[in-house]
Amino acid sequence: MLTTIYTAFTDTRAGDLAWALGREPLPSLATLDVELAGAHIQLRVLGASHQVLLDCREGTCSETVACMPGSNTPLPLGVSKRLGNFEYEFAARVESLSVGSFAGRAQELLALVAEHPYGLAGLFPGDPNAFTALLVQRRGGQFHWRTWHAYPQERCLVATRTRVSGATDHPKSTPVGDKANPKCDVTFGS
């Protein structure tokens, strides 16, 4: 699903992105709720990039990659850790491209996400290649999501991949983002 975001593009540079687990749901500009084999996943485009919220019987997982004032955790190249009942793996890559390559790659990614039933892309005003895109899928007992953050002014694409394993197919009764559900705000690990 493609959606146009009617606000200024908040991210200024790819280098300003930070990573965090366990943050509470942040205000979003666009969301997509996905049910996959009994789990609820919410893809969220933030003014400052993305957040993915996973909720299933085994627990919750909240991943945020955004420009977060006061954050002291820069975007890591890779993370692998245990989160309660889950194994969490994250990887990030920054691609610097030529003008033509950047525009072509950006439009390729937008087409991929637009055609995927579990994809969300927020297009920011001012440049057709300024966007945040997310795509989620499930393979066996694992959830996989990929995200792309486009910075046309730098001709940079920040791509992330996440894998969360250990979940089974039994739904919980409360949705992700329910403020009355304290499990939605759990901070995992250290």
Side-chain angles (χ1 to χ4, degrees):
M1 174 173 84
L2 294 179
T3 186
T4 300
I5 306 295
Y6 295 100
T7 188
F9 188 57
T10 303
D11 293 341
T12 57
R13 299 178 321 112
D16 292 338
L17 287 175
W19 167 85
L21 287 175
R23 291 190 72 127
E24 64 182 65
L26 298 172
S28 66
L29 301 173
T31 61
L32 178 66
D33 291 294
V34 176
E35 297 293 329
L36 287 175
H40 183 87
I41 301 160
Q42 189 174 74
L43 305 177
R44 303 165 64 85
V45 173
L46 310 176
S49 283
H50 89 259
Q51 189 172 51
V52 177
L53 306 173
L54 166 65
D55 188 10
C56 65
R57 180 181 181 126
E58 287 73 21
T60 60
C61 177
S62 166
E63 173 190 280
T64 306
V65 172
C67 298
M68 296 177 275
S71 175
N72 58 3
T73 307
L75 189 64
L77 295 177
V79 173
S80 181
K81 66 190 309 179
R82 182 88 177 154
L83 299 177
N85 295 319
F86 301 122
E87 291 293 330
Y88 174 90
E89 292 180 18
F90 173 87
R93 179 181 82 247
V94 178
E95 296 176 56
S96 295
L97 303 164
S98 68
V99 174
S101 295
F102 177 84
R105 181 75 175 129
Q107 292 306 305
E108 203 176 85
L109 290 169
L110 286 171
L112 169 74
V113 173
E115 294 174 12
H116 197 284
Y118 306 130
L120 172 66
L123 306 170
F124 291 91
D127 190 306
N129 298 318
F131 66 88
T132 295
L134 304 93
L135 187 147
V136 65
Q137 60 187 348
R138 181 171 176 144
R139 292 184 216 139
Q142 299 179 347
F143 295 96
H144 298 260
W145 56 84
R146 296 186 64 187
T147 72
W148 299 272
H149 307 268
Y151 297 88
Q153 71 279 14
E154 297 180 305
R155 294 183 317 277
C156 284
L157 282 170
V158 177
T160 73
R161 290 178 183 255
T162 301
R163 182 181 64 83
V164 176
S165 60
T168 61
D169 298 339
H170 304 287
K172 285 179 70 170
S173 60
T174 51
V176 167
D178 182 346
K179 299 262 185 211
N181 177 7
K183 288 195 174 213
C184 290
D185 300 328
V186 169
T187 300
F188 295 104
S190 55

